[in-house]
Amino acid sequence: MTDDEILLGFALTVVLATGSQILASKLRVPALIILLPAGFAAGAATDVIHPDKLLGANFSALVSLSVAVILYDAGLGLDLRKLAHHTRGIVGRLLLYGVLLTFFVTAAVSPALFDMPLRVAAMLGVILVVSGPTVVGPLLDFVRPSDKVRRILIWEGTLTDPIGGILGALTFHAIASSHQIDIGRGYQLGQFALSLAVGLVGGAAGTALLWLALRVLRLGETLGTLAQLATVIAVSAGCDIVRDDTGLIAAIVTGLAVANLRGFDMPARRPFFETLVQLVIGLLFISISSTVTPASLVPVLLPALVLIAILVLVVRPVVAFAASARTDLSRGERAFIGWMDPRGIVAAATASAFSAGLVDRGVSGAARILPVTFLVIVGTVLLYALTAAPVARRLRVVKKAGTRVLLVGGEPWVVDLGRALRSAGPDMLMWAGREEERERIKAAGIELAKGDLLATAINPGARLEGVTAVFLATDDDDFNALAAVVMQDNVEGPVYRVGPPHGSHGVVAPYTGGDILFGPSLVRHVLAERYERGARFVVRPASSPLPPEHDTLFVVRADRRLVPVTERQRTVPQATDTLVLLGPVPADAGQRTSRGPRVP
């Protein structure tokens, strides 16, 4: 290829990877639905995007290193201490039954379906055991099932990636070294043990290096991210040099260790690393799918549809119902778990890496692994993306519509605002730190969050399950500003805060971004003073004329969604909406109206 063709190929790959993910986010669909067809079409339409021509024999090595980075990132999300006791058993059984049944069924039917040897069918079976949070997460965000179901599926999808990577590497070594899958002999078991030992040693070395970088040297966000990336690549490459494909094991072990060993000083947020992983995922899918030719898909298309039907209609339901038997899950929740098992990035990447390695070694039938995996990924993602939402509604596992609001603060005006919001329809939850404020919330009859809620919410990687919006209204503007920044990634919806006084010289609040509630005129101290002088919160239908001198604070939609008025957002109410207003100070400020929202 000429220099111009190489430049065009790299540019087109990056543009397709980025553009496909942007389009998918706007359409609210898993990125794979756009990435795979885009790469396949680009590969069929042009020669410049083919990775084997752009990179030649180096492509497999780059895929292996890229997968190592992805699996390390997946390992960072596996804080096993957060796996709640009541879901631990279900997740464990889903993993055990799912891996075993998927492997044995795929390995049993693939020789007849795809005319491949049993050892190649075993490789395909190991590749297809994985699912992955990169595809499960977006689907669940769109469907919005119950928190219990979401936790189970996210944990299962996250844990299957490293399990599949380890089993894939071991199976590859078994086939590549002996051209058999009989692992009962001592020699073959020794090969497995040797591969695992190399990966574990590499993982230990990576953990030690990151301990030095993150704990001893206490590198900040930017240098800490670079240290993680360099460590994962170096350790993975070193292990692969010693023994092929053991770098995946090292990357997984390093990620697990960093996530679960106490004392690591991980940066609270990793935007650069997350961006890098997202880009790597897009580049891998575009590159891998471009290597799948129409000619390779035609012979395996119908058999692949049969395999998809077996996996979706037989294997997954059996695994789900066996794993959730005699648990507190409802029949609908068990059925929905049985209808959610898409394949994702690790399946594609490992299929590309392992199939290429077996083809280079002259293993018969190995060339069919990648097109079959490609079709299974496309088929399962499309099927679940199109059916997950209606199935969830049919099974009644979708969360009720509306907003679950967390209102933080305990001053009298904040508690009265909580009363008004509750009477307008949204589900309310309040939290306050001081005991007298918590007693005030209890006296108002509003649900009080447990004491350590905010401590949990500001931990990196924590998630406030069920909370769709947070409003920070404490009497400390700097606390509101800091909490808004830290909690942004831990809540399903937006985080808002009341504004600080104009011209304030606070430590943080005047200099921190974020959407401010109620606009520039109704900052925190103005709200508190106006309330103390007798202004009250009023709840009334939007179809009624707006009373004079009343300020609109919130619009509650007919489906109970809460839309606040902010500096950046001016909401136009509909006739079916409900408004939460702040009334004027009475002409006689000495007369105090009874506290509580008025509902005319």
Side-chain angles (χ1 to χ4, degrees):
M1 297 182 70
T2 65
D3 290 345
D4 290 344
E5 289 175 328
I6 293 174
L7 289 173
L8 178 61
F10 279 120
L12 184 59
T13 303
V14 173
V15 169
L16 286 174
T18 305
S20 297
Q21 294 185 78
I22 293 174
L23 179 60
S25 69
K26 295 301 181 183
L27 297 176
R28 297 185 64 194
V29 298
L32 299 190
I33 293 180
I34 310 297
L35 285 166
L36 290 176
F40 178 74
T46 177
D47 291 332
V48 298
I49 201 172
H50 287 198
D52 54 344
K53 295 182 179 180
L54 285 173
L55 301 170
N58 299 324
F59 179 58
S60 295
L62 290 176
V63 168
S64 179
L65 292 177
S66 299
V67 173
V69 172
I70 294 170
L71 292 182
Y72 169 76
D73 184 64
L76 290 178
L78 297 177
D79 187 349
L80 300 178
R81 293 164 294 190
K82 297 178 182 177
L83 187 58
H85 176 72
H86 63 280
T87 61
R88 189 179 304 146
I90 299 174
V91 172
R93 290 190 294 271
L94 282 172
L95 292 171
L96 177 61
Y97 301 160
V99 168
L100 292 177
L101 193 59
T102 302
F103 169 73
F104 284 117
V105 170
T106 303
V109 303
S110 293
L113 288 176
F114 305 110
D115 189 25
M116 60 175 55
L118 181 58
R119 62 181 181 273
V120 177
M123 187 77 255
L124 178 63
V126 169
I127 290 171
L128 294 182
V129 303
V130 301
S131 176
T134 56
V135 63
V136 174
L139 282 175
L140 296 181
D141 289 339
F142 177 74
V143 175
R144 293 180 58 81
S146 64
D147 291 334
K148 186 185 301 183
V149 171
R150 178 186 174 85
R151 281 195 301 269
I152 291 171
L153 290 173
I154 287 293
W155 271 100
E156 181 202 10
T158 303
L159 286 169
T160 53
D161 274 357
I163 291 174
I166 293 172
L167 293 178
L170 295 179
T171 304
F172 174 82
H173 284 301
I175 298 172
S177 60
S178 67
H179 300 284
Q180 301 182 61
I181 57 169
D182 53 329
I183 62 175
R185 297 178 302 158
Y187 171 77
Q188 194 60 56
L189 289 175
Q191 295 297 309
F192 287 173
L194 182 58
S195 297
L196 186 59
V198 172
L200 291 175
V201 171
T207 303
L209 289 173
L210 288 180
W211 180 273
L212 173 65
L214 302 177
R215 181 63 177 173
V216 178
L217 300 180
R218 304 188 68 83
L219 300 180
E221 179 181 319
T222 301
L223 291 179
T225 299
L226 292 176
Q228 291 176 72
L229 180 62
T231 298
V232 172
I233 291 177
V235 169
S236 177
C239 289
D240 284 343
I241 292 171
V242 174
R243 188 167 178 82
D244 290 343
D245 295 303
T246 54
L248 299 180
I249 304 173
I252 297 164
V253 171
T254 304
L256 286 169
V258 171
N260 291 279
L261 291 179
R262 296 185 182 276
F264 270 99
D265 188 18
M266 292 292 294
R269 304 175 68 188
R270 307 185 309 275
F272 174 76
F273 198 84
E274 293 165 1
T275 302
L276 176 65
V277 170
Q278 196 74 14
L279 178 62
V280 167
I281 289 173
L283 294 176
L284 279 181
F285 268 122
I286 293 295
S287 300
I288 292 170
S289 57
S290 70
T291 65
V292 181
T293 63
S296 67
L297 293 180
V298 172
V300 298
L301 178 58
L302 291 179
L305 294 177
V306 175
L307 178 60
I308 292 171
I310 293 173
L311 293 175
V312 170
L313 301 176
V314 179
V315 174
R316 181 60 181 183
V318 170
V319 168
F321 277 85
S324 59
R326 295 184 297 277
T327 65
D328 60 349
L329 294 178
S330 67
R331 181 174 298 181
E333 290 171 333
R334 296 173 65 191
F336 184 74
I337 291 173
W339 190 255
M340 186 57 61
D341 192 27
R343 271 61 180 180
I345 178 61
V346 175
T350 53
S352 177
F354 295 141
S355 66
L358 294 179
V359 168
D360 291 342
R361 287 167 171 79
V363 178
S364 174
R368 298 187 183 93
I369 291 177
L370 183 57
V372 172
T373 304
F374 177 86
L375 290 172
V376 171
I377 293 172
V378 173
T380 55
V381 170
L382 282 176
L383 176 64
Y384 292 128
L386 294 173
T387 63
V391 167
R393 288 193 295 268
R394 178 90 175 174
L395 297 174
R396 299 180 179 178
V397 298
V398 181
K399 277 197 262 188
K400 293 181 180 179
T403 303
R404 181 167 174 79
V405 176
L406 172 61
L407 180 59
V408 181
E411 291 190 272
W413 74 269
V414 180
V415 177
D416 207 14
L417 177 60
R419 281 202 199 96
L421 290 172
R422 185 184 59 180
S423 68
D427 188 13
M428 283 297 304
L429 178 70
M430 289 191 68
W431 182 91
R434 292 191 285 267
E435 188 59 33
E436 63 272 18
E437 294 179 336
R438 296 176 67 83
E439 292 298 328
R440 188 179 296 134
I441 294 170
K442 292 178 183 178
I446 301 175
E447 183 180 353
L448 180 65
K450 61 182 181 180
D452 61 348
L453 177 72
L454 261 291
T456 300
I458 62 177
N459 281 335
R463 186 180 181 88
L464 285 180
E465 293 181 346
V467 174
T468 57
V470 176
F471 301 109
L472 296 159
T474 73
D475 58 359
D476 188 332
D477 296 313
D478 286 330
F479 171 85
N480 296 335
L482 286 171
V485 172
V486 175
M487 294 175 65
Q488 283 178 354
D489 295 331
N490 302 343
V491 182
E492 294 181 18
V495 179
Y496 304 95
R497 63 185 174 102
V498 293
H502 297 297
S504 168
H505 295 283
V507 178
V508 176
Y511 315 105
T512 304
D515 216 353
I516 305 297
L517 287 170
F518 314 140
S521 60
L522 292 177
V523 294
R524 179 187 57 80
H525 74 286
V526 172
L527 289 164
E529 290 176 3
R530 194 159 150 182
Y531 182 84
E532 286 298 323
R533 294 172 59 195
R536 291 294 178 264
F537 299 104
V538 179
V539 178
R540 61 184 300 125
S543 56
S544 302
L546 185 67
E549 300 183 25
H550 281 63
D551 295 295
T552 302
L553 305 182
F554 295 95
V555 176
V556 182
R557 301 300 189 189
D559 60 0
R560 301 196 309 162
R561 286 187 300 111
L562 184 64
V563 182
V565 173
T566 70
E567 285 187 352
R568 303 175 184 174
Q569 175 176 285
R570 290 293 182 267
T571 303
V572 179
Q574 306 297 320
T576 57
D577 295 340
T578 301
L579 303 181
V580 178
L581 312 172
L582 177 61
V585 176
D588 183 1
Q591 296 179 357
R592 294 289 184 259
T593 59
S594 61
R595 293 186 177 180
R598 299 197 306 269
V599 185

